[in-house]
Amino acid sequence: FLKNSVHYTHQFITERLQIDSGSLLFFILPFIGIWLTSLFVRYFVREDISHGVTKVLYAISRQNSIIKPHNNYSSMVASTITIGFGGSVGTEATIVLTGASIGSNLARFFRMNYKVMTLMIGCGTAGAIAGIFKAPIAGIVFTLEVLMLDLTMASLVPLMISAISSYVIVYFMMGKGVVLEFAVREHFALANVPYYIILGIFCGLVSVYFIRLNIQIEKWITGIKSQFKRILTGGTLLGLLIYIFPPLYGEGYDTIGSLLNGQFSHIMDKSLFYDLLTGNADALLNNTYFFDFRNYAFVLVLYVVGLVFLKVFATALTNGSGGVGGVFAPSLFTGGVTGFLIATLIN
C-alpha cells in the first residue's frame, strides 16, 4: 500500500501536471508537501512521527515495547504526502515504524509479555524491510543488527516466517521486479580491484560527510522555533535545490535505475541544463564523441558532483522542516551517484 500510494501520488503530480524542463512546479511542490504533512502531524497525529527507526528503538528501551496504535497508518499517510510531492527522503524508516507498530499492537491485543512483544516488533520490522525491498534475508539481518535481538532459534524462526511471508505476499501482488533491477553484463576482473578500493575509500568519506552534515542541518532547521518560519525556510531552500537539480525530487530510485541501465543522459531530464545537453551526456563514456563534447562532459561531471554533495541538504531540509521520511533511500542515492561519478572519472 505504501509503495503504491507514493508511486501514484508522484505519478499523478508529475505526469498530469506535465512538469517540463526548469518548471517552477519543482520549486513549489516540495513546499506544499511539507506544509500539508506538518498540518496532518500537528492537528491529526499530534505527535512527532519522524525518524521511525529511532522511535522503534526508544519504544523497546523506554516504553516496554509499546507503540501507539496510530503508528499503524499515520507514518504512511505522512510519508505519502511528503515524498509524493517531492520531499527528498525515503519510505524505509516509515515502513519500519509501521511494521513495528503492527507487531506491538498485535502483541498487546493478545496480552503478550514484554519479551514476546519485543519479538513481535522485530517480526513486524523484518516483514516490512523484506516487503519493501523484496529481500527477506535483508529484513532478518536488519532486525538482528539494528534492533539487537538475540540470535537464537526462538527469535530467528519467527523472523524468518514473517520476512518470507511478507516477501511472498508482495511478490504475488506487485510482481517480481525489485527496487533496483539490473543485469551484470561483464565478468569480474581482478585488475579492477584497485578501482573498487578507491571507490570504497571515497564512499567512506562521503558517508562521514553525509552523516555529520545531516545532523547539523537538521539541528539548525529544527532550531527555528516558529513552525511557519521553519516550513517556509526549509521548503524554500528545498524547492530551490530541486528546481536546479530535479533528481533530488522524491526518493531518487528512478535516477539510479537510469544510471544502472546506461541511460546517463536521463540524469539531466527536466533540469535547466536538459535542452543544452540533450543527446550529449552519453558521449562522456564514448571515446568517439568525448573530444567533440568535452565541455558538455565537464558540465555533466559537475552536475553529478552537485548531486552527491547536495542530496544530504535536501534530505535534512525535508525532515527538519516538517516532512516525514527516512535517510536510507537518500544514502542509497548518494552512494549510487558516487559510484557513477568515480567510474566516469576513471573512464
Side-chain angles (χ1 to χ4, degrees):
F1 178 80
L2 176 62
K3 290 295 289 186
N4 278 291
S5 61
V6 171
H7 171 74
Y8 286 115
T9 302
H10 174 89
Q11 187 180 61
F12 175 81
I13 292 172
T14 56
E15 289 188 2
R16 297 289 183 88
L17 299 182
Q18 298 180 347
I19 299 179
D20 298 318
S21 302
S23 173
L24 286 175
L25 288 173
F26 277 124
F27 179 80
I28 299 171
L29 288 174
F31 173 81
I32 295 175
I34 291 174
W35 176 64
L36 291 175
T37 303
S38 299
L39 291 177
F40 172 76
V41 172
R42 181 173 182 177
Y43 294 107
F44 187 82
V45 180
R46 298 180 181 179
E47 183 185 5
D48 181 20
I49 55 175
S50 62
H51 299 294
V53 178
T54 305
K55 296 290 184 295
V56 175
L57 292 172
Y58 183 80
I60 293 174
S61 61
R62 298 295 180 87
Q63 295 181 322
N64 296 318
S65 293
I66 296 175
I67 301 177
K68 294 182 179 180
H70 72 74
N71 289 293
N72 292 349
Y73 61 88
S74 58
S75 294
M76 292 200 296
V77 175
S79 283
T80 297
I81 299 171
T82 300
I83 302 171
F85 277 81
S88 196
V89 288
T91 58
E92 292 74 25
T94 298
I95 202 62
V96 165
L97 178 57
T98 302
S101 177
I102 292 171
S104 174
N105 284 282
L106 277 174
R108 287 177 64 190
F109 179 79
F110 289 106
R111 300 186 178 181
M112 296 176 176
N113 58 37
Y114 169 76
K115 184 176 181 180
V116 181
M117 189 179 294
T118 303
L119 179 58
M120 287 287 283
I121 287 179
C123 289
T125 300
I129 293 294
I132 206 82
F133 285 114
K134 293 185 181 175
I137 295 176
I140 296 170
V141 173
F142 177 90
T143 302
L144 294 174
E145 285 287 329
V146 177
L147 302 189
M148 296 174 287
L149 297 182
D150 295 330
L151 185 58
T152 61
M153 289 302 293
S155 299
L156 193 58
V157 171
L159 292 177
M160 290 175 62
I161 293 172
S162 177
I164 294 171
S165 299
S166 174
Y167 166 76
V168 171
I169 291 294
V170 173
Y171 179 87
F172 279 112
M173 296 189 71
M174 296 185 67
K176 64 181 181 179
V178 293
V179 175
L180 299 175
E181 188 172 9
F182 65 98
V184 178
R185 299 181 178 87
E186 302 293 336
H187 295 293
F188 176 80
L190 193 62
N192 290 335
V193 169
Y195 302 138
Y196 302 146
I197 294 174
I198 292 171
L199 175 62
I201 292 172
F202 192 76
C203 282
L205 296 173
V206 171
S207 298
V208 174
Y209 163 82
F210 188 97
I211 294 168
R212 293 183 176 178
L213 204 62
N214 181 64
I215 294 173
Q216 292 177 5
I217 295 173
E218 267 204 55
K219 186 177 180 180
W220 167 71
I221 196 71
T222 53
I224 301 175
K225 301 301 180 182
S226 170
Q227 185 181 25
F228 174 76
K229 291 182 179 179
R230 186 164 62 249
I231 295 172
L232 183 63
T233 302
T236 302
L237 292 175
L238 175 63
L240 183 62
L241 286 176
I242 294 177
Y243 178 70
I244 300 174
F245 296 94
L248 300 180
Y249 188 100
E251 295 177 283
Y253 288 140
D254 291 343
T255 299
I256 300 301
S258 296
L259 295 179
L260 285 171
N261 291 298
Q263 299 169 325
F264 308 128
S265 63
H266 289 317
I267 198 171
M268 289 187 173
D269 283 0
K270 301 177 181 178
S271 72
L272 294 172
F273 308 95
Y274 178 76
D275 294 330
L276 175 65
L277 298 171
T278 297
N280 295 328
D282 288 321
L284 182 60
L285 300 181
N286 188 323
N287 292 329
T288 304
Y289 300 102
F290 180 75
F291 180 81
D292 292 336
F293 299 106
R294 59 189 184 278
N295 293 329
Y296 297 137
F298 179 70
V299 173
L300 175 62
V301 169
L302 291 180
Y303 190 86
V304 174
V305 169
L307 292 179
V308 170
F309 289 100
L310 292 177
K311 180 64 174 181
V312 62
F313 284 86
T315 299
L317 288 170
T318 302
N319 279 328
S321 57
V324 174
V327 299
F328 194 75
S331 69
L332 290 181
F333 175 90
T334 304
V337 176
T338 299
F340 173 71
L341 174 63
I342 297 298
T344 299
L345 294 175
I346 290 173
N347 283 326

